[in-house]
Each structure stands twice: as C-alpha cells, then as structure tokens.
Amino acid sequence: MIIDGHSHLTLPVKEHIKIMDKAGVDKTVLFSTSFHPEMDKNAQEVKASMNYLNELLNGKKGNMTEIRKKSVQELVKAINLYPERYTGFGAVPPGLDLNTTGQYISDNIKKNHLAGMGEFTLGSGQIPLLENIFKLSHEFGNLPIWIHGFFPLELHDIKKISNFARKYPSIPVILGHLGGINWLETMDMAKEIPNLFLDTSAYCSTFVLGTVVNELPKKCIFGVDRPFGDLELSKEALLKVAKSKSIASAVLGENIAQILKI
Ligand SMILES: [Zn+2]
C-alpha cells in the first residue's frame, strides 16, 4: 500500500482524490489546516495568505483554539466523505493547561477517531509548550505526535523534541521535513531513538533525501505536504533515490502503516 504520510486538506477535496488515483496512492494521512493557499490565483494572493498565517501563528488573528477546532471539523468532514482514502491527524493547541488540553483531545481527536495529533508548528524556544501534549498522548493510548521540523526551529529545539521522544518511548514521534537544514544531526537522533521517525516532505535536496532514506529506511515516512508539495513529483523523487525496492516500499507506506496499524 502506498501512503502519503503527510498532506494538509486541500480544496476541492475530490480533486485531491483524483490526484491520488492518478499517482497510484492508496491513502493519505490528512492534516487539518487553518488556511487554503492552494485556492490563491497569483503570487500576490499567496503573499496575503502567508501573511495571514504568520499573524495567525503570532496570535494576532482571533482565538487559535477556535480556529483549530474549526479546522478539525473541516478535516473530519473530508475523512467522512472518503473514509477508505483518508486517515486524519488533528490540530491541538499547545501550551494550555492539562485539563483544558485533555478535554480538547477528548472532544476533537478521540471522539472523531483521529489517528494522531499535529502538525505542531512552533517557534524556536517553544518546544516545552508540548509537555502536556506528550503527557496526554500517553494517557490517550500513545497517540502519535507530528511536529514541524524546519525553520523556525533550530538544532536546540530539535534536541528538545528528541528528549521528549526519549522520555515517552511508547509514543511515536514524527519530526517533519527531515529536520530541515539540521538533517545530519536529526538523522543521528532518529537512528538512536526507536520511537523518533522522520517525515520526508520538503526535503532540502534530493541528495539529502537519498542519504537519509537509504541510511534509515525503517525510520522515514513518505510525506508530500500538500499544498506545498506535489504528489507525483514527491513519489518519483523517492523512487529515484531509494537504493532498493524494499527501501522504497518501507518509506512509501509500510512504516506509517505499522505505526498507525492500518
Ligand atoms: Zn510543516
């Protein structure tokens, strides 16, 4: 089974299903989104969308908990339309107290049968805000946690994520984008920590992609990161750099299927 392990909900949903069919992709692990840059018509509109996202993440555009709840509702609607094709990860606000976070996870993640939590996109220095998320993931049966791993995160932030993974060895932790420019150090951390996995989307270069997937074929998870990545091109790149069919199959689906028990 070929699985895109990381893409955000894009509109229209049925267009995404068509693209999956064309690329021969069976399933997508779908993530909620608080904006839709794929609907923009030109660079100026994209710029406006990106500015909106920045303001949103900096808390200048309304209540993030409400925005995340809405994005989860949109996600669940899409999954219910195509339950065979989608498995979902839902956004959870970081930095809230333990009770509020627990209630949020119960109402938005567990009740909706979502498979994991994320994408957590934090600023540099903010990783400790995930403490309650890790505590509660464990209480809710080790829900996988997916964390954005390139800019604005720095190496010391990625080390903090790896410390959480060490502290909670039964929680699958997926670090996005191979750790960005810190891919070499990140590769070593993933090699050492059994429950730390790497998502391949938005890799720095095909050289980086090839080096990491061939070194850690059981720890890498194919991801596209739609709307920022192209499904067919991402799959082609993986097939081209993987040194064997078994490496390609592991990364293109087997690893995430095992984590999510698909
Ligand atoms: Zn990301």
Side-chain angles (χ1 to χ4, degrees):
M1 191 169 11
I2 297 190
I3 302 170
D4 167 8
H6 177 61
S7 271
H8 296 277
L9 189 152
T10 48
L11 299 172
V13 173
K14 76 169 182 231
E15 194 56 34
H16 181 212
I17 298 293
K18 271 191 210 162
I19 290 168
M20 285 167 66
D21 288 341
K22 191 165 170 252
V25 169
D26 303 288
K27 240 183 205 303
T28 293
V29 183
L30 198 64
F31 287 66
S32 48
T33 185
S34 33
F35 78 140
H36 284 287
E38 72 279 9
M39 304 300 279
D40 294 337
K41 289 176 198 73
N42 54 49
Q44 290 313 312
E45 286 188 22
V46 170
K47 202 170 156 185
S49 286
M50 297 315 286
N51 285 339
Y52 169 79
L53 178 69
N54 279 335
E55 294 197 343
L56 203 63
L57 293 174
N58 290 326
K60 292 180 193 155
K61 285 272 173 191
N63 182 326
M64 273 314 284
T65 304
E66 286 310 313
I67 289 166
R68 287 197 173 97
K69 265 188 201 165
K70 267 198 192 130
S71 75
V72 169
Q73 285 162 8
E74 184 189 40
L75 175 78
V76 171
K77 221 169 116 189
I79 295 170
N80 288 340
L81 282 176
Y82 300 98
E84 301 297 314
R85 308 302 297 279
Y86 287 143
T87 294
F89 269 47
V92 178
L96 301 178
D97 66 69
L98 199 64
N99 278 345
T100 314
T101 309
Q103 194 61 49
Y104 182 98
I105 295 172
S106 169
D107 293 345
N108 293 278
I109 307 298
K110 286 310 274 186
K111 257 186 209 153
N112 289 320
H113 310 291
L114 296 177
M117 301 188 280
E119 173 175 6
F120 292 97
T121 306
L122 296 161
S124 183
Q126 293 185 335
I127 298 302
L129 294 179
L130 294 175
E131 179 78 55
N132 286 342
I133 305 283
F134 274 87
K135 267 189 197 154
L136 288 159
S137 153
H138 191 62
E139 281 179 29
F140 281 98
N142 298 314
L143 279 169
I145 296 176
W146 209 107
I147 307 167
H148 172 87
F150 67 58
F151 181 84
L153 293 198
E154 295 171 13
L155 184 57
H156 64 91
D157 299 304
I158 294 174
K159 281 186 182 156
K160 285 203 176 77
I161 294 169
S162 73
N163 288 339
F164 271 130
R166 276 197 192 93
K167 190 172 163 190
Y168 294 93
S170 46
I171 301 175
V173 179
I174 305 170
L175 185 70
H177 324 305
L178 299 174
I181 55 165
N182 300 298
W183 61 278
L184 270 176
E185 295 87 348
T186 303
M187 180 172 71
D188 288 343
M189 290 178 219
K191 192 172 190 172
E192 196 194 313
I193 305 169
N195 56 318
L196 181 63
F197 297 87
L198 304 176
D199 150 83
T200 65
S201 68
Y203 50 82
C204 290
S205 72
T206 46
F207 177 80
V208 170
L209 180 68
T211 306
V212 183
V213 299
N214 290 307
E215 175 70 6
L216 298 175
K218 296 285 182 194
K219 301 303 291 291
C220 291
I221 296 164
F222 171 60
V224 177
D225 202 6
R226 275 173 57 86
F228 306 107
D230 177 275
L231 181 52
E232 275 185 284
L233 289 177
S234 305
K235 188 183 156 205
E236 279 304 304
L238 207 285
L239 286 171
K240 189 156 186 188
V241 300
K243 280 185 183 158
S244 72
K245 270 193 182 156
S246 66
I247 291 174
S249 312
V251 180
L252 281 171
E254 286 166 14
N255 297 341
I256 189 72
Q258 208 173 354
I259 293 169
L260 302 183
K261 301 178 183 76
I262 293 173

